[in-house]
Amino acid sequence: MMLGLSGDVDLLTLKKYAQEIEEDFLNSGIISQVRVSGWPQLEISVEATEEDLLRHKLTFDEISQAIALNNQDISAGLIRSSEEELFIRSRARNVDPNKIGEIILRANPDGSFLRIRDVAEVKLKFADVASGFTMNGKQAVWFNVQKLGEEDLEKIANYTNEYVSNFNKEHDDVQIKVVFDFLQILGQRLELLMKNGLMGLILVIIALAMFLSFRLSMWVAWGIPASFLGMFIIAPLFGITINMISLFGMILVVGILVDDGIVIAENIFTHFEMGKSPMKAALDGTFEVLAPVLTSVITTILAFSPLMLLAGAFEFLYEMAFVVIFSLAFSLLEAFLVLPAHVGTPHILRAKSKQAKIRKFFDRAINFMKNRIYGKILEKVIKWKWIAFIVPAGILLITVGLFKGQFIKATFFPNIPFDMFNIDVAFKPGDGEDQTLEYLNRFEAAVWEVDKDLIKEYNDSSFIRAMFKFTGSSFNGNENGSHAGSIMIFMRDMEDAPVSSFQIADRVREKIGDVKEAEKFSVGGQNQFGTPVSISLLGKNLDELKKAKKFLEDSLKSYTELINVTDNDATGMPEILLKLKPKAYFLGLNHASISNQIRQGFFGGQAQRLQSGRDELRIWVRFPKGDRQSIGQLEKMKIKTPKGEYPLTDLVDFEIQRGPVNIQRYNGSREVRINADLTDPYAPVPPILERINKELIPQLNAYFPGVKTKYQGQSKDSEEAMGEMMLYFGTAFGIIILIIMIHFKSASHGAIIIMMIPLAWLGAMWGHGLEGIPVSLLSAWGMIALSGVIVNDAIVFLDKYNLNLLEGQSIEEAVYNAGLARFRPIVLTTITTSIGLYPIILEGSFQAQFLKPMAISLAYGVLVGTGFILMFFPVLILVRNSIEQGWKTLWNGNKPSKEEIEPAIVNSKRIIE
């Protein structure tokens, strides 16, 4: 949670309240992580003018020494006798400015004392650094309440909100405001997912009831809560909680969980229709598909397993994958051990004469689709197998054309609407705080004007929850000093808002206009997946790097697709460089002695460091603030020597230059990094990078041969993610192939099953085009998960084909009958998987946006992939057989029959001698 404490009080009072609140939080037993900020370091400043020092013939060193020697707690020993023990101690340490002012510097000849307060002003104050902080125009401090993994977010949020309510009732001078409550956002997202999950579950049950009997469909659907129940028992042991990601995993797997149950139940129902008793049908139907179902579920689990190994931006997918994998494992147990026992009873399996009219209607409709539509098409496909074989190649070319024509777009990461955005500005280092505050106040007014315009335009309430204004830092800490500042705008809950956060940021940027006086300026939110365009310039020559930076930065600013073009190359602060004159050396001075005296006056000499409660106080002895604000005051400063005091200008010459800055390095080279955001947040990034690579990089390389470029941000992160994808999924993919080959005892059968995966991926890509969402890396992980589901259906189809061969059917008959036999379970698993996810795809809320790419990949991939399995997979079986037959003929000289070269037939004839 994030909170702001503000009021019409001074900063010391705010600090006192803030520390009391922090102590209350930490003593609650509920909150253990609180970070409070909003004020500079507290210090004690002993300020003496040069005139007073000269009049009393004092130096800063003498004042510092007096404080260090007299503001002390000193133990002087122990008096011990047989009757008593007494400690000898001097207790003179104090953090009260008035007490420090009483410290005696020396005794005067007239018997009076010269005290610190006689020559200097002693005050408790905040350090003189640029670090102003306001909330909605008032002085404020900032609380960031965080939690450990084992702590309860709901308890923390409830306690904090109750504390805020009670505190505000008891105080009129200050108020706390909750500006960001993650529990509220999480609750909205959980509510969204639960609503869509429940809707998906209902749709799955309806679909099951349409294809199977209602009683049978209810027992198949029971596999969903039963699997979740088993997963709930295991999940806490691995630290998995019910949260947004784990709940999405549950929604993702709702339609998949019933796949094994559908295959088993449908096969039991088929055996029952053959005239077998319910118990016999349950036993025979289950054992017949035991091996393919087991294989298919294991391959699906393996397809999801790479998601548990990801790091970085995709680490959040671990909990989703855990939920899916363990839910599938428990669904397998339920489907094999529980479902047949419940289904194999006369109460569930009834004769058709007892069916209701609606059940008969659905059966007739399904049989019509299976026999009259699919059966007729399948006959044509089998007859014209070689023509059908080249169809996927044409579909692939069409898909490539859709990408090239931007009908289907691709990017690295989806751009998710933000809950807050920043306005960052940085002028030239050395520019005063007044200028920074002036512009920040102008920006703040512009934000409120935009908010008023939106309220009037949409007849709505305020879109701004809170606005924090900072001075002293901007651009995530890359710029620090009085020349830098930022505004952090927290928006209200944007769920169902008539305008998006992207549009609000754009309006603010337009309202402010171009800030030509600023070195850097940007308006926008942070992309949780990194900067869309980020380019590192690497080289050894710093001057060449700066010229290359200017060239690339100016060029990128001309791109209408890009905004907020900034860099991390901070300009150095202006410095006054001192060069000693010969006179200084004749007086016995050197650089150290002169610099130390200047430092004592303008920066301060540290006399002491004390602990006061939770604050570490440093006592600084220096000139008053009004005497150290200009170069003229520096020039008039007197330097003390054994031969008297001399003006600084008599001893040194001045030269003003920009000082060096921290040099960024990347892989041993000096680096300047240029970042840019997208004008259209939903635009794909790769085409922009491709244009930069073709238009700008060659010119940059020609003009600045010593400078190399490297893409950072989303490009680099996506490259690393792709590397992980290739490694983890490649390993899982290899294991999947091995399992399939072992199951079918055939490498070629494993190959044709795997060939169905990229065809299903085409469907996932089409789905993104239809939904208007770019294909991203989140989509790619959805496609990987899709692989297991597609393999599932292909295994079931091929296993039925092999059974038909073993019954004596010809190749064509076996393929045709396998298609008809597996039509209902394959179509049903497709429908349940797709409609279980479709509520998420249709969800228009901001909270569901980052879930959509995976849901689209899985839903559309399964939908289209099923069509390929029903229509094209039979072609692959026949083509594989023809190629195998041709190879055997060439090798042996005899043409074998189509059936005798099939692996199922070959393996059935093997005998153990």
Side-chain angles (χ1 to χ4, degrees):
M1 298 183 70
M2 297 179 184
L3 305 92
L5 174 69
S6 64
D8 297 319
V9 295
D10 59 73
L11 188 54
L12 273 173
T13 304
L14 270 182
K15 176 179 177 294
K16 178 184 174 184
Y17 276 125
Q19 290 182 331
E20 290 175 357
I21 294 168
E22 182 184 12
E23 289 178 4
D24 290 342
F25 283 173
L26 294 175
N27 292 331
S28 66
I30 297 173
I31 298 173
S32 65
Q33 307 293 313
V34 184
R35 187 179 63 182
V36 188
S37 58
W39 61 80
Q41 182 73 33
L42 203 60
E43 64 182 24
I44 295 175
S45 185
V46 180
E47 300 176 353
T49 65
E50 189 170 46
E51 290 77 9
D52 286 335
L53 292 174
L54 293 173
R55 184 169 65 252
H56 293 286
K57 296 182 178 180
L58 286 171
T59 65
F60 283 128
D61 283 335
E62 290 173 325
I63 297 176
S64 297
Q65 189 175 22
I67 295 171
L69 294 176
N70 291 285
N71 194 37
Q72 294 273 2
D73 285 351
I74 302 174
S75 175
L78 176 69
I79 296 175
R80 178 182 294 170
S81 68
S82 57
E83 288 83 17
E84 62 180 351
E85 288 185 358
L86 297 173
F87 283 98
I88 304 171
R89 185 179 294 278
S90 171
R91 293 190 180 276
R93 177 185 173 281
N94 213 300
V95 295
D96 184 353
N98 295 322
K99 297 293 183 182
I100 294 173
E102 293 292 328
I103 292 175
I104 296 173
L105 292 170
R106 68 171 179 241
N108 296 319
D110 61 1
S112 63
F113 296 107
L114 181 67
R115 302 178 187 273
I116 289 178
R117 60 178 166 78
D118 297 327
V119 296
E121 182 182 3
V122 185
K123 51 189 176 184
L124 180 69
K125 59 185 285 293
F126 292 102
D128 293 328
V129 295
S131 63
F133 185 71
T134 64
M135 181 177 74
N136 296 342
K138 293 184 178 181
Q139 186 81 49
V141 295
W142 171 270
F143 295 87
N144 190 352
V145 180
Q146 297 178 326
K147 65 179 283 293
L148 299 175
E150 63 271 13
E151 292 176 339
D152 191 318
L153 176 62
E154 186 174 5
K155 287 183 180 179
I156 291 174
N158 291 339
Y159 170 82
T160 305
N161 285 314
E162 185 179 356
Y163 184 94
V164 168
S165 177
N166 294 333
F167 182 92
N168 290 337
K169 289 178 183 177
E170 297 170 2
H171 297 82
D172 296 327
D173 53 343
V174 292
Q175 294 284 292
I176 310 179
K177 185 171 186 177
V178 177
V179 296
F180 182 80
D181 186 350
F182 187 72
L183 180 66
Q184 182 181 0
I185 295 174
L186 180 62
Q188 292 166 355
R189 294 179 180 180
L190 290 177
E191 182 181 354
L192 162 74
L193 292 175
M194 289 177 70
K195 178 187 72 176
N196 286 282
L198 181 61
M199 188 181 305
L201 179 61
I202 293 172
L203 291 173
V204 167
I205 293 174
I206 293 173
L208 289 170
M210 289 172 60
F211 279 74
L212 305 171
S213 69
F214 179 75
R215 295 173 187 269
L216 189 60
S217 66
M218 291 303 294
W219 279 115
V220 172
W222 166 248
I224 298 173
S227 302
F228 287 156
L229 181 61
M231 182 270 297
F232 286 150
I233 295 172
I234 299 296
L237 302 178
F238 293 87
I240 306 297
T241 60
I242 297 178
N243 55 46
M244 185 176 62
I245 303 302
S246 59
L247 194 57
F248 175 62
M250 294 169 66
I251 294 176
L252 191 70
V253 81
V254 160
I256 305 174
L257 285 178
V258 293
D259 286 0
D260 50 5
I262 288 171
V263 174
I264 294 171
E266 196 277 338
N267 207 48
I268 291 173
F269 193 72
T270 301
H271 279 263
F272 175 71
E273 289 179 328
M274 295 177 184
K276 296 181 181 180
S277 67
M279 182 62 72
K280 181 66 173 173
L283 290 172
D284 293 347
T286 301
F287 280 109
E288 184 178 80
V289 295
L290 189 148
V293 168
L294 180 62
T295 302
S296 63
V297 173
I298 290 175
T299 55
T300 305
I301 289 174
L302 285 170
F304 276 94
S305 60
L307 302 181
M308 298 185 70
L309 305 174
L310 301 179
F314 291 111
E315 191 173 358
F316 71 94
L317 294 176
Y318 168 84
E319 293 194 13
M320 184 202 75
F322 183 97
V323 167
V324 171
I325 289 170
F326 278 87
S327 296
L328 284 171
F330 281 104
S331 77
L332 194 62
L333 294 175
E334 192 276 338
F336 282 141
L337 303 179
V338 179
L339 180 63
H342 287 143
V343 172
T345 64
H347 183 66
I348 302 298
L349 299 178
R350 296 181 175 181
K352 288 188 177 181
S353 58
K354 297 182 179 180
Q355 288 182 322
K357 290 182 179 179
I358 190 169
R359 176 73 261 151
K360 291 180 179 179
F361 169 78
F362 282 127
D363 283 343
R364 285 195 298 268
I366 293 166
N367 289 329
F368 178 80
M369 288 188 295
K370 180 175 70 174
N371 297 315
R372 297 299 181 89
I373 299 178
Y374 171 66
K376 296 295 183 182
I377 296 175
L378 186 57
E379 286 179 358
K380 301 295 182 183
V381 167
I382 292 173
K383 182 178 179 180
W384 304 99
K385 63 181 179 183
W386 290 105
I387 295 176
F389 183 68
I390 64 173
V391 169
I395 294 175
L396 179 61
L397 292 175
I398 292 172
T399 305
V400 172
L402 292 173
F403 272 102
K404 291 292 185 180
Q406 292 291 299
F407 294 101
I408 302 175
K409 298 180 180 180
T411 190
F412 297 128
F413 299 95
N415 206 352
I416 310 301
F418 34 73
D419 300 309
M420 54 160 288
F421 65 93
N422 292 341
I423 304 175
D424 289 289
V425 67
F427 299 93
K428 284 187 178 180
D431 287 357
E433 190 174 4
D434 289 346
Q435 177 182 239
T436 306
L437 275 172
E438 178 187 347
Y439 276 86
L440 288 178
N441 290 334
R442 198 182 99 193
F443 300 160
E444 188 176 21
V447 175
W448 289 120
E449 286 178 24
V450 168
D451 188 51
K452 288 180 182 178
D453 293 342
L454 291 171
I455 293 171
K456 184 177 180 181
E457 181 177 343
Y458 294 104
N459 192 25
D460 206 333
S461 59
S462 175
F463 293 86
I464 308 299
R465 179 182 303 208
M467 186 157 27
F468 291 91
K469 181 172 63 182
F470 303 83
T471 55
S473 179
S474 63
F475 295 98
N476 295 319
N478 284 327
E479 295 285 346
N480 291 286
S482 59
H483 68 289
S486 64
I487 296 176
M488 187 184 299
I489 299 99
F490 284 87
M491 288 176 290
R492 75 173 203 207
D493 174 22
M494 298 299 288
E495 188 72 30
D496 299 325
V499 62
S500 74
S501 53
F502 289 131
Q503 293 171 311
I504 294 176
D506 287 341
R507 290 202 182 194
V508 170
R509 188 183 301 106
E510 184 180 347
K511 176 70 73 173
I512 292 174
D514 189 17
V515 186
K516 295 181 179 179
E517 301 81 0
E519 292 283 298
K520 300 177 185 178
F521 172 71
S522 73
V523 179
Q526 293 184 352
N527 189 310
Q528 67 185 92
F529 295 110
T531 308
V533 177
S534 182
I535 303 173
S536 285
L537 302 179
L538 308 173
K540 295 180 179 180
N541 188 316
L542 192 57
D543 290 336
E544 188 179 26
L545 270 179
K546 288 184 178 295
K547 291 176 182 178
K549 178 202 76 171
K550 188 176 188 310
F551 167 78
L552 185 57
E553 205 166 28
D554 291 344
S555 301
L556 292 178
K557 286 179 180 178
S558 67
Y559 279 42
T560 57
E561 302 96 325
L562 300 177
I563 56 173
N564 298 335
V565 180
T566 60
D567 62 74
N568 69 343
D569 182 31
T571 307
M573 288 281 289
E575 295 179 346
I576 301 173
L577 301 181
L578 307 178
K579 183 178 180 181
L580 270 63
K581 294 181 178 179
K583 183 176 182 179
Y585 293 107
F586 283 122
L587 292 171
L589 299 172
N590 52 49
H591 278 282
S593 59
I594 292 179
S595 297
N596 284 339
Q597 289 194 43
I598 296 173
R599 176 185 170 86
Q600 285 178 322
F602 281 80
F603 182 79
Q606 182 176 306
Q608 221 174 8
R609 188 167 63 183
L610 307 170
Q611 193 68 32
S612 175
R614 296 166 57 188
D615 295 310
E616 183 183 67
L617 297 178
R618 297 172 186 258
I619 301 179
W620 297 99
V621 182
R622 54 164 76 107
F623 289 145
K625 186 175 182 179
D627 291 351
R628 45 189 168 90
Q629 291 184 320
S630 69
I631 296 178
Q633 291 168 326
L634 175 65
E635 292 174 337
K636 293 177 182 178
M637 181 181 177
K638 300 290 193 300
I639 298 298
K640 299 170 183 61
T641 73
K643 297 181 181 181
E645 292 82 21
Y646 292 85
L648 183 63
T649 51
D650 290 351
L651 305 175
V652 301
D653 288 324
F654 300 101
E655 184 181 357
I656 300 177
Q657 292 182 1
R658 289 278 175 186
V661 295
N662 291 331
I663 298 174
Q664 306 290 332
R665 290 192 176 273
Y666 184 84
N667 289 342
S669 299
R670 289 180 172 179
E671 181 210 37
V672 175
R673 187 172 300 184
I674 299 173
N675 299 318
D677 293 323
L678 303 178
T679 304
D680 176 7
Y682 298 106
V685 176
I688 298 174
L689 292 183
E690 185 179 355
R691 182 182 167 194
I692 292 171
N693 203 43
K694 287 182 178 180
E695 297 177 355
L696 300 183
I697 302 303
Q699 295 183 51
L700 189 144
N701 292 334
Y703 297 153
F704 312 101
V707 176
K708 297 180 180 179
T709 58
K710 181 174 178 60
Y711 290 104
Q712 304 284 352
Q714 289 191 10
S715 177
K716 178 174 177 288
D717 292 343
S718 65
E719 185 179 338
E720 293 174 352
M722 287 298 293
E724 285 189 332
M725 186 184 299
M726 296 298 292
L727 173 63
Y728 299 139
F729 182 63
T731 304
F733 193 72
I735 298 173
I736 289 173
I737 294 174
L738 182 62
I739 290 174
I740 294 172
M741 289 192 302
I742 292 173
H743 174 72
F744 289 106
K745 299 181 181 66
S746 169
S748 59
H749 274 176
I752 63 173
I753 288 177
I754 296 303
M755 287 175 65
M756 300 309 301
I757 294 176
L759 295 178
W761 289 350
L762 294 178
M765 295 173 188
W766 299 345
H768 283 79
L770 291 172
E771 297 293 339
I773 294 178
V775 177
S776 65
L777 278 173
L778 281 177
S779 312
W781 289 115
M783 292 178 196
I784 288 176
L786 163 67
S787 304
V789 182
I790 291 301
V791 167
N792 183 346
D793 289 339
I795 288 174
V796 171
F797 189 108
L798 188 59
D799 193 77
K800 184 60 179 176
Y801 162 76
N802 287 334
L803 289 175
N804 290 344
L805 286 176
L806 294 174
E807 291 176 359
Q809 297 180 19
S810 66
I811 294 295
E812 289 76 9
E813 290 174 339
V815 167
Y816 179 79
N817 291 327
L820 295 182
R822 292 297 180 239
F823 175 81
R824 182 162 58 180
I826 289 176
V827 170
L828 186 51
T829 56
T830 300
I831 291 174
T832 55
T833 301
S834 299
I835 66 174
L837 289 167
Y838 221 76
I840 286 289
I841 297 174
L842 293 175
E843 183 60 51
S845 68
F846 297 145
Q847 316 294 356
Q849 297 309 304
F850 84 100
L851 306 176
K852 279 190 174 184
M854 292 188 71
I856 290 172
S857 293
L858 196 53
Y860 280 93
V862 169
L863 195 64
V864 175
T866 298
F868 280 118
I869 288 173
L870 290 174
M871 298 297 182
F872 184 67
F873 192 57
V875 173
L876 280 181
I877 294 173
L878 295 173
V879 169
R880 187 214 69 85
N881 180 269
S882 297
I883 294 173
E884 182 78 10
Q885 186 184 39
W887 170 251
K888 292 288 185 183
T889 302
L890 288 173
W891 185 259
N892 298 323
N894 298 320
K895 184 176 182 180
S897 68
K898 295 179 180 179
E899 290 75 21
E900 67 182 354
I901 62 173
E902 279 297 304
I905 302 297
V906 172
N907 293 326
S908 68
K909 293 179 179 180
R910 289 179 178 174
I911 58 174
I912 301 176
E913 297 180 355

